[in-house]
Amino acid sequence: MSKTENIKKDINFNKNEDQLRLMVSELKQRWNKVSEGGGKKKIDKLHSQGKLTARERVAFLLDKNRDQIEIGAFAGEDMYTEHGGCPSGGVVVVLGYVKGRMCLVVANDATVKAGAWFPITGKKNLRAQEIAMENRIPIIYLVDSAGVYLPMQDEIFPDKENFGRIFRNNAMMSSMGITQIAAVMGSCVAGGAYLPIMSDEALIVDKTGSIFLAGSYLVKAAIGEDVDNETLGGATTHCEISGVTDYKSPDDKSALTTIQNIVDKMGDAQKAGFNRIKPTAPAEDPNDIYGILHPENAKPFSTRAIIDRLVDNSEFEEYKEGYGKTIITGYGRIDGWAVGIVANNREVQKNKKGEMQFGGVIYSDSADKATRFIANCNQKKIPLVFLQDVTGFMVGSRSEHGGIIKDGAKMVNAVSNSVVPKFTIIVGNSYGAGNYAMCGKAYDPRLIAAWPNAKLAVMGGSQAAKVLLQIEKASLKAKGETITEEKEKELLDRIQGNYDRQTSPYYAAARLWVDAIIDPLDTRKWISMGIEMANHAPIERSYNTGVIQV
């Protein structure tokens, strides 16, 4: 059992703590803003119609005083500004409990363009369905949407990962036995009308809910028929005439209560059987994480000290402690769940030959160690937790001659073929191929979250800015333009400013490269709920890496 790391709480610790707490405060302020959706006027309008907002519906549906996590809260942030913006992607997605049963809830936000689907809305809905499918958990749709946002229809309608994929997933989940319940609580038009009807059970709210392939104006234009929307596709029509919906509710709360009653009768699911014992809190104070981290990810810190503040009783059994020191691997528990942790070590290390190794860089020996450890976790059916703070793989002739590409490929292969659930937390840098090897979004982590100080990019800002500057200087020189020292500084500042903006965790969260930006103190909750969620999906294939170079 590794010893816990003693932390020196000096002036630097205090400075780090102050800055990280400011970052967490900013995170909460930004969440408060996006949680308002389309704003107070739109919310008031919804209330005047006797309807609850998307977040009010989710809050009423989910069990009180139980943990919950929100997926994609910052989706769409600072995107589509020319269209008025799309806070939270116009849809709220929350993992929580209904009558004690873990469920995923997807609620259209009618205060954002009447719940219309932007490209990011489609991506977020598909991510929600992916989570439900991977983990075999029930999904509940609270539908209130005007359909595809027509000015951007070319980016949401026809492609494989666009709007139509939603209905394909409905069909696939039904065949997999994953419960889907839909409540039509507002508009549900055109292609969107298929979503609730492809669910297992469909509810509709009287007078406010409606389902039709074409509204009354389009029906008049297309076939000349005069009919009002209520007669065309209201609750009475679909519950008493067409039989399209299964339950008619007088208001939002009644519909949500009916969903609770349906979920309450569901039988238990088969479990994967991941190991869990009674949870214990870390022996070391998790609040120390604020002071341990450097807010700009610029200086080394003790990764083991971070682990001590995440695992139960601060107990961590380190694997190959003296080998491949730029990656830390080992076993622990998080909220009672057994986990295997793969973490980039930010401290400068000496390898077995006494040579200095840069912290946060993956060397051949650390890649080799991580590959073996991942295989062991798959053998023992232990979920994997990746703590990313990586600047990439080591470069240079010595590394190339030593086969860094081969060793890196083995690690990527192991991550790709892992059959136990993977969870990724970006605690600092996430650069280049290091993002891939440490289970970035492309490698199917069941959940991936970033701390507020995280940075994601192909390389660090200063290095990338210098490369881009050389390219721009060559372009200007080719045009016959002279570049003064002042002009060069101006170009560098502009390039670095733009690049730094793109490395922000909020830029990543807006595009759903991560599921959320979280307070470091919420990390245990995210991992615990993630493993509980994954425990609903039995492992159906064995671990096999295929052909690799040894």
Side-chain angles (χ1 to χ4, degrees):
M1 191 73 66
S2 296
K3 296 179 181 178
T4 56
E5 293 283 309
N6 293 320
I7 294 300
K8 186 178 179 182
K9 296 187 179 181
D10 56 11
I11 186 67
N12 291 322
F13 181 97
N14 294 334
K15 286 181 179 178
N16 290 348
E17 184 177 36
D18 289 344
Q19 291 185 63
L20 261 297
R21 288 190 182 279
L22 283 173
M23 287 181 170
V24 171
S25 177
E26 180 191 4
L27 169 64
K28 292 175 180 176
Q29 290 172 18
R30 293 175 80 145
W31 184 87
N32 287 336
K33 182 178 179 181
V34 299
S35 68
E36 293 175 352
K40 190 175 184 306
K41 288 185 178 178
K42 297 287 181 64
I43 292 172
D44 290 343
K45 182 180 179 182
L46 214 61
H47 287 164
S48 71
Q49 298 169 348
K51 297 164 69 175
L52 300 174
T53 67
R55 291 186 182 278
E56 288 168 343
R57 288 166 176 167
V58 173
F60 185 92
L61 178 64
L62 293 178
D63 294 349
K64 308 300 181 288
N65 302 317
R66 292 291 304 270
D67 281 341
Q68 56 182 252
I69 57 177
E70 182 171 354
I71 309 295
F74 295 107
E77 185 176 11
D78 293 330
M79 297 170 66
Y80 316 118
T81 52
E82 69 276 23
H83 298 278
C86 187
S88 285
V91 62
V92 178
V93 177
V94 179
L95 178 69
Y97 301 87
V98 178
K99 294 291 184 177
R101 171 65 66 102
M102 181 173 273
C103 298
L104 196 66
V105 183
V106 180
N108 298 115
D109 188 346
T111 69
V112 180
K113 300 290 185 187
W117 288 56
F118 283 70
I120 197 67
T121 317
K123 187 174 183 180
K124 186 170 174 179
N125 275 269
L126 288 170
R127 175 59 178 149
Q129 289 185 320
E130 178 184 48
I131 290 171
M133 292 171 77
E134 282 183 328
N135 300 287
R136 304 282 180 106
I137 56 171
I139 186 167
I140 298 167
Y141 308 100
L142 307 180
V143 185
D144 193 346
S145 172
V148 167
Y149 182 62
L150 290 178
M152 301 188 75
Q153 64 86 25
D154 60 322
E155 296 183 46
I156 184 61
F157 166 65
D159 209 348
K160 179 180 177 181
E161 300 299 334
N162 284 172
F163 190 70
R165 186 80 170 181
I166 303 291
F167 317 128
R168 175 265 187 192
N169 287 350
N170 287 143
M172 293 294 293
M173 280 190 279
S174 183
S175 72
M176 294 167 67
I178 299 169
T179 298
Q180 300 174 83
I181 301 170
V184 180
M185 311 181 85
S187 296
C188 185
V189 300
Y194 288 103
L195 185 147
I197 311 313
M198 294 189 74
S199 299
D200 301 330
E201 296 188 81
L203 304 83
I204 187 168
V205 178
D206 196 22
K207 306 306 181 199
T208 55
S210 58
I211 311 172
F212 33 66
L213 294 181
S216 56
Y217 292 122
L218 186 53
V219 168
K220 175 67 174 177
I223 63 173
E225 180 184 0
D226 284 308
V227 61
D228 63 87
N229 283 339
E230 186 64 25
T231 303
L232 187 65
T236 299
T237 294
H238 286 310
C239 285
E240 300 179 17
I241 299 174
S242 72
V244 164
T245 51
D246 307 310
Y247 307 89
K248 181 167 75 170
S249 302
D251 53 38
D252 282 8
K253 290 184 177 180
S254 177
L256 297 168
T257 300
T258 299
I259 293 174
Q260 292 170 336
N261 292 335
I262 293 170
V263 173
D264 189 42
K265 311 303 185 297
M266 290 171 56
D268 200 7
Q270 185 181 353
K271 298 293 192 293
F274 300 125
N275 185 302
R276 192 184 197 188
I277 63 173
K278 184 179 179 180
T280 58
E284 301 292 335
D285 187 358
N287 286 283
D288 290 345
I289 291 173
Y290 293 137
I292 295 168
L293 285 174
H294 190 276
E296 298 301 323
N297 308 335
K299 294 182 180 179
F301 60 85
S302 173
T303 305
R304 285 181 179 82
I306 297 292
I307 294 172
D308 288 342
R309 285 149 182 83
L310 292 177
V311 296
D312 289 16
N313 206 34
S314 300
E315 293 178 350
F316 181 63
E317 192 70 51
E318 190 161 353
Y319 173 82
K320 288 186 181 290
E321 182 176 359
Y323 176 71
K325 294 182 179 181
T326 64
I327 285 182
I328 297 171
T329 53
Y331 304 103
R333 291 187 182 275
I334 292 179
D335 199 36
W337 294 104
V339 296
I341 294 175
V342 181
N344 301 111
N345 189 4
R346 279 297 303 278
E347 293 185 299
V348 177
Q349 301 289 331
K350 283 186 179 180
N351 66 11
K352 57 188 175 183
K353 297 178 182 178
E355 300 164 335
M356 299 306 295
Q357 293 185 327
F358 299 105
V361 178
I362 302 176
Y363 290 78
S364 283
D365 54 356
S366 49
D368 175 61
K369 177 172 80 170
T371 300
R372 179 62 182 245
F373 181 72
I374 290 166
N376 276 335
C377 287
N378 276 272
Q379 181 84 346
K380 298 178 180 70
K381 203 160 75 170
I382 300 173
L384 284 159
V385 174
F386 292 83
L387 302 179
Q388 273 198 21
D389 190 358
V390 58
T391 53
F393 285 87
M394 190 58 192
V395 297
S397 60
R398 178 179 294 183
S399 293
E400 297 295 356
H401 295 171
I404 185 66
I405 295 175
K406 178 180 65 177
D407 292 317
K410 287 192 292 186
M411 184 176 174
V412 169
N413 193 316
V415 172
S416 302
N417 285 295
S418 178
V419 296
V420 295
K422 299 165 290 192
F423 302 89
T424 302
I425 308 293
I426 304 173
V427 305
N429 298 317
S430 179
Y431 293 152
N435 170 282
Y436 304 155
M438 290 295 294
C439 198
K441 182 67 180 292
Y443 290 79
D444 297 324
R446 299 294 177 97
L447 294 173
I448 177 170
W451 288 355
N453 57 304
K455 294 180 181 178
L456 291 81
V458 72
M459 66 177 72
S462 59
Q463 301 98 310
K466 289 173 183 175
V467 172
L468 292 169
L469 175 64
Q470 295 304 315
I471 295 171
E472 190 149 348
K473 281 171 66 177
S475 176
L476 292 171
K477 189 175 181 180
K479 295 175 184 176
E481 297 183 30
T482 57
I483 304 171
T484 65
E485 190 174 317
E486 184 180 350
K487 175 71 172 175
E488 183 173 324
K489 184 179 184 306
E490 181 186 322
L491 281 172
L492 183 62
D493 288 346
R494 176 174 58 80
I495 292 169
Q496 180 143 7
N498 185 54
Y499 196 88
D500 287 345
R501 180 181 66 85
Q502 293 180 4
T503 65
S504 161
Y506 293 97
Y507 190 91
R511 289 152 183 81
L512 291 173
W513 300 345
V514 295
D515 292 319
I517 304 170
I518 64 171
D519 183 336
L521 300 185
D522 286 335
T523 303
R524 281 171 54 86
K525 177 178 75 173
W526 268 73
I527 294 171
S528 176
M529 288 190 69
I531 299 175
E532 181 183 348
M533 171 183 75
N535 201 37
H536 289 79
I539 297 173
E540 296 177 344
R541 64 183 179 90
S542 60
Y543 175 69
N544 186 344
T545 57
V547 178
I548 59 172
Q549 292 196 35
V550 296

